[in-house]
Amino acid sequence: SIFVLKTDDDSFVNVGSLLMEFNNQDLKGWIYSGKKHNTGSREVPLEKFRDLYQDGFERPKQSCSGAGYVLSRTLLEEIMKFHTDPPPAEVEDVYIGYLVAKLNVRPTSLSKIIAVKPKR
């Protein structure tokens, strides 16, 4: 496959819009797209999630929300070279953002393509 789509079980994907979005891009390059958020900012307090990170783990400045994101296969192959087991963060979306940041790749937005089911 050209890219991998990761979503949570309560996310909805507009597949037609997703395919149209990538139809306009060079799919041979690295793609990391989803709902961007500032994981390195103070809006996400580290204290609240302290048990989810190893000591010394430096959160990336930006990552894509775990609700859903797309990685190109070529980028996924590259970030796996940096993967460690166990990972230094248990929060998968932050960990992927951490790996992608090692390659100086910034996320792009797909916020209108992936939606989260509202909680009742």
Side-chain angles (χ1 to χ4, degrees), residues 24-107:
N24 297 325
Q25 291 189 26
D26 174 16
L27 295 179
K28 293 179 181 163
W30 288 346
I31 296 171
Y32 176 47
S33 293
K35 183 174 188 236
K36 295 190 303 185
H37 59 110
N38 295 321
T39 46
S41 73
R42 294 294 157 223
E43 58 186 66
V44 181
L46 186 56
E47 297 298 321
K48 183 177 177 182
F49 302 105
R50 181 167 296 282
D51 294 343
L52 301 176
Y53 302 106
Q54 290 179 4
D55 288 340
F57 175 74
E58 189 170 322
R59 293 181 296 172
K61 289 186 170 63
Q62 289 187 326
S63 65
C64 292
S65 165
Y69 54 86
V70 175
L71 290 167
S72 61
R73 185 179 80 200
T74 54
L75 179 58
L76 184 58
E77 289 169 347
E78 284 300 311
I79 66 172
M80 289 309 295
K81 294 175 183 175
F82 298 106
H83 170 64
T84 60
D85 194 23
E90 291 183 35
V91 184
E92 140 275 324
D93 55 340
V94 174
Y95 181 55
I96 294 296
Y98 165 79
L99 294 174
V100 170
K102 287 183 167 288
L103 296 170
N104 296 316
V105 175
R106 293 180 171 230

